[in-house]
Amino acid sequence: MKKQDIYFWVFKVILDFIIILGSFFLARELRLISDFIPWIHLKVQTIDTYNLFIYSLIGAFILILIFSLHNLYKIKIINSKIKEFLNIIIYGFYSFLLFSVIVYLWKDFIFDKEIPRLIIWFTYFFWIIFIVLERILINYIQYYLLKKKIISKNKLVIINNKQKKDIIHILQDIKKSWIYELLWYCNITKIKENKIKYISFDNLKRKIKNRKIDEIIFIDSDFNKNELYELWELTRIFSVRYRYLTNNFDITKTNTELSLINEIPVMELKNTSLSGWNIFLKRIFDIISSIIWIILFFPIYLFVYILIKFENFKAPAIFRNKRIWKDGEEFDLFKFRYMKWEYCTKDSYNLSKKEKLKALEFEKELIDKKSTRKGPLYKIKNDPRKTKIWTFIEKYSIDELPQFFNVLIWNMSLVWPRPHQPREVDKYLLHHKRLLTIKPWITWMAQVNWREDNDFEKEADLDIYYIENWSVLLDLKIILKTFSSIIWRIKK
């Protein structure tokens, strides 16, 4: 364990303690100003400083205890900050409930003075807001110190027997994750022209024992079972994090269910947990969220519609694009048109075959000459078909806003895998067809995980991961990361 990790852990606990104490006193001052309940004016209730201080100590103890029990003071740096913030809100609420129960169950036995309920409510909102802001500040400080090399990154070793070109996407992902420093790769046989520093198995064991390594990621190797077992035991003894790179089948194995055939126990590999009650909840969420976003974005809809029509009044501003959804069925995806009408592929329009072929042939020519992506999907560099407002609406994903109407009629969902065109689906391999087992998306895993750098195979892997590991928390995480991705593109 690094000293810097202990310092940050202590720093978090101290700051949380100060924030909770301060939140109680700030809530009292706010209560003296107003109850913030519309059309109702409650009698002002307050509490003296001594008793409020006692209550604040109890509140601080409860919250820090619950945060500790749920690993919110983890020593090691982690990547998923959104999950950390959501846990702060959830377990902060649990702390608030437990505090309220303790206070009002024991008010006649232990506490001389009752604390007003509104002060407790105000306190909860303050401590959540300030603790999240505190974590953001600490994360920024950690990032800055790591960038300036004032504190050290997590020392990483990969167990690998593949050429660098075969794992280049893994290496790029490690590089983009700012908390890691890739030191070596380890294998029994040294790989020629790998360009990553090599470490022998014996040296790796010594480094682990000397605590020179923080984490090991297993990709593939020529180790035998005994050597792998020894390595795994060493990582557990010397507190080195050990993870392995999954393939699609490994991911599926995490989504299993034990059942019986008469008296024989069997494991079922489930496709997804999105069924029954979960589908109902997701549908309710989609309806409510799509209505809210349509109302909020109405001025943008109107503004962009006028801009597109101003350039070509006769052509539609909302383009209908044929896509494939669940079970291979077709539907019309709505988008703001950002291509010149004569170059749009018009599969969803009742036009002559000649008019459709002209646009398709030109698109095929551009894909052959200018596409920067391999596989079923394409991305045309310097596309000559673009309209004047192409850059503006594509950069900020404004072209996708009409898809909230797709969500409302439910041939799409707010979060799910990306839908592809029929001619793209025709190029699918067998395992890619897993993407057609559930409805398509507005935002999705690949959208928030290095969208511009992903090839089709990596997109498919991320979508299959989503299908196998769906949860409400994962949906919320993707939605929040979508906002941060858009903000990043605006700054860029």
Side-chain angles (χ1 to χ4, degrees):
M1 186 183 296
K2 302 175 185 177
K3 286 185 179 180
Q4 67 194 41
D5 295 329
I6 298 173
Y7 294 152
F8 276 108
W9 176 78
V10 173
F11 190 45
K12 283 180 183 179
V13 173
I14 293 173
L15 280 180
D16 283 358
F17 186 81
I18 294 171
I19 284 171
I20 297 164
L21 263 62
S23 294
F24 274 93
F25 286 91
L26 187 58
R28 183 181 67 174
E29 298 306 311
L30 186 65
R31 179 65 189 93
L32 292 173
I33 297 171
S34 173
D35 53 31
F36 291 93
I37 302 176
W39 308 295
I40 298 175
H41 298 287
L42 299 176
K43 182 181 177 181
V44 175
Q45 292 179 308
T46 187
I47 186 172
D48 62 274
T49 299
Y50 172 77
N51 281 293
L52 184 62
F53 180 70
I54 299 300
Y55 280 117
S56 65
L57 288 177
I58 295 169
F61 174 79
I62 290 172
L63 185 131
I64 290 172
L65 176 63
I66 290 179
F67 275 20
S68 299
L69 292 173
H70 291 91
N71 297 319
L72 283 172
Y73 293 116
K74 278 186 176 179
I75 301 295
K76 292 185 180 294
I77 301 172
I78 58 173
N79 263 337
S80 183
K81 302 305 177 187
I82 292 174
K83 183 178 180 181
E84 181 184 4
F85 298 153
L86 288 173
N87 284 339
I88 286 171
I89 295 171
I90 293 168
Y91 296 118
F93 184 68
Y94 291 167
S95 304
F96 156 76
L97 290 178
L98 182 59
F99 174 80
S100 301
V101 169
I102 291 173
V103 165
Y104 287 100
L105 279 180
W106 294 93
K107 65 180 181 180
D108 296 326
F109 299 95
I110 299 176
F111 306 110
D112 297 328
K113 183 85 173 180
E114 182 178 331
I115 181 171
R117 291 173 179 83
L118 276 179
I119 290 180
I120 300 176
W121 274 105
F122 291 165
T123 299
Y124 165 69
F125 289 113
F126 279 134
W127 80 32
I128 292 301
I129 291 168
F130 290 131
I131 288 175
V132 168
L133 291 175
E134 169 221 313
R135 292 294 198 274
I136 292 172
L137 176 62
I138 290 175
N139 290 337
Y140 177 79
I141 292 170
Q142 285 181 296
Y143 173 75
Y144 178 81
L145 295 176
L146 285 167
K147 186 177 179 181
K148 295 296 182 180
K149 298 182 179 179
I150 298 171
I151 62 176
S152 60
K153 297 183 178 183
N154 287 347
K155 309 297 183 183
L156 178 67
V157 174
I158 58 175
I159 309 299
N160 173 56
N161 66 355
K162 299 179 182 293
Q163 293 288 341
K164 183 179 178 181
K165 61 183 178 63
D166 296 324
I167 60 166
I168 188 66
H169 62 290
I170 300 170
L171 300 177
Q172 288 173 345
D173 284 356
I174 291 171
K175 186 177 180 181
K176 287 174 183 176
S177 182
W178 48 271
I179 66 175
Y180 292 112
E181 179 185 355
L182 178 57
L183 299 178
W184 307 286
Y185 81 92
C186 184
N187 198 47
I188 296 298
T189 307
K190 189 173 182 180
I191 305 167
K192 293 180 180 179
E193 300 179 0
N194 204 326
K195 296 183 180 179
I196 308 171
K197 290 181 180 179
Y198 173 78
I199 186 172
S200 68
F201 185 64
D202 290 335
N203 279 336
L204 177 60
K205 290 190 292 182
R206 281 194 288 271
K207 295 289 184 181
I208 293 172
K209 292 174 182 177
N210 293 332
R211 303 184 186 277
K212 299 294 184 182
I213 295 169
D214 299 309
E215 185 167 341
I216 288 173
I217 294 182
F218 179 88
I219 299 173
D220 202 355
S221 76
D222 55 6
F223 293 145
N224 60 44
K225 289 183 178 180
N226 290 334
E227 289 164 336
L228 285 175
Y229 181 77
E230 183 183 3
L231 179 63
W232 183 56
E233 285 294 341
L234 282 172
T235 58
R236 293 200 296 175
I237 293 167
F238 294 96
S239 300
V240 174
R241 193 178 188 187
Y242 183 95
R243 294 190 285 177
Y244 69 96
L245 192 71
T246 63
N247 55 38
N248 289 341
F249 187 70
D250 291 323
I251 291 170
T252 304
K253 288 192 295 185
T254 66
N255 194 16
T256 58
E257 186 176 86
L258 180 64
S259 58
L260 293 173
I261 298 177
N262 196 15
E263 297 179 355
I264 302 171
V266 291
M267 294 297 293
E268 176 190 355
L269 298 178
K270 296 164 64 181
N271 178 43
T272 180
S273 57
L274 270 168
S275 60
W277 181 249
N278 288 335
I279 286 284
F280 174 76
L281 290 177
K282 192 169 180 66
R283 180 60 184 139
I284 295 298
F285 177 75
D286 282 341
I287 291 172
I288 295 171
S289 58
S290 60
I291 291 172
I292 291 171
W293 288 116
I294 287 169
I295 294 170
L296 288 176
F297 287 131
F298 180 76
I300 299 176
Y301 284 126
L302 188 61
F303 177 68
V304 175
Y305 183 89
I306 292 170
L307 286 179
I308 296 171
K309 279 293 186 180
F310 184 76
E311 188 170 343
N312 186 345
F313 183 78
K314 293 182 179 180
I318 305 294
F319 179 65
R320 290 184 285 121
N321 193 210
K322 192 72 71 180
R323 298 293 175 106
I324 302 296
W325 71 336
K326 186 179 179 182
D327 299 327
E329 296 180 16
E330 293 183 349
F331 75 100
D332 287 337
L333 178 140
F334 305 135
K335 299 186 75 169
F336 278 122
R337 180 176 57 82
Y338 56 73
M339 290 185 187
K340 295 175 183 177
W341 179 240
E342 61 268 28
Y343 296 128
C344 290
T345 55
K346 307 176 183 71
D347 293 339
S348 295
Y349 298 84
N350 296 320
L351 299 173
S352 67
K353 188 176 180 180
K354 184 178 179 181
E355 288 179 284
K356 293 179 183 178
L357 282 175
K358 185 179 178 182
L360 284 170
E361 286 172 358
F362 186 54
E363 182 181 76
K364 187 176 184 302
E365 181 184 334
L366 291 173
I367 293 170
D368 292 338
K369 292 180 179 178
K370 295 190 174 186
S371 180
T372 57
R373 302 182 73 175
K374 296 178 181 179
L377 302 188
Y378 60 87
K379 186 174 180 66
I380 298 170
K381 188 176 181 181
N382 300 322
D383 197 324
R385 301 173 296 171
K386 62 185 180 182
T387 59
K388 292 178 181 178
I389 64 168
W390 165 300
T391 304
F392 169 68
I393 65 175
E394 187 188 39
K395 180 178 180 180
Y396 304 120
S397 299
I398 294 172
D399 60 306
E400 296 172 1
L401 292 182
Q403 288 160 38
F404 285 113
F405 289 98
N406 285 114
V407 175
L408 189 59
I409 62 179
W410 216 41
N411 46 32
M412 291 180 68
S413 179
L414 196 64
V415 183
W416 264 346
R418 175 182 184 174
H420 296 143
Q421 300 177 66
R423 57 186 178 278
E424 295 168 337
V425 173
D426 288 341
K427 299 176 184 178
Y428 275 13
L429 301 176
L430 179 62
H431 68 279
H432 296 151
K433 293 185 179 181
R434 289 286 305 285
L435 307 179
L436 304 177
T437 58
I438 60 176
K439 289 178 184 288
W441 98 134
I442 277 185
T443 187
W444 72 107
M445 285 287 290
Q447 167 88 350
V448 296
N449 289 280
W450 309 298
R451 169 187 179 181
E452 304 298 331
D453 300 328
N454 293 332
D455 58 19
F456 174 72
E457 200 63 43
K458 187 167 183 180
E459 269 197 24
D461 287 344
L462 288 167
D463 283 339
I464 290 170
Y465 174 88
Y466 173 82
I467 291 170
E468 300 293 350
N469 296 273
W470 176 86
S471 68
V472 174
L473 181 60
L474 183 58
D475 272 4
L476 290 173
K477 183 176 179 179
I478 291 172
I479 290 169
L480 292 173
K481 287 188 76 173
T482 300
F483 286 121
S484 65
S485 175
I486 292 170
I487 293 169
W488 181 83
R489 274 190 278 164
I490 291 172
K491 289 181 179 179
K492 188 177 177 182

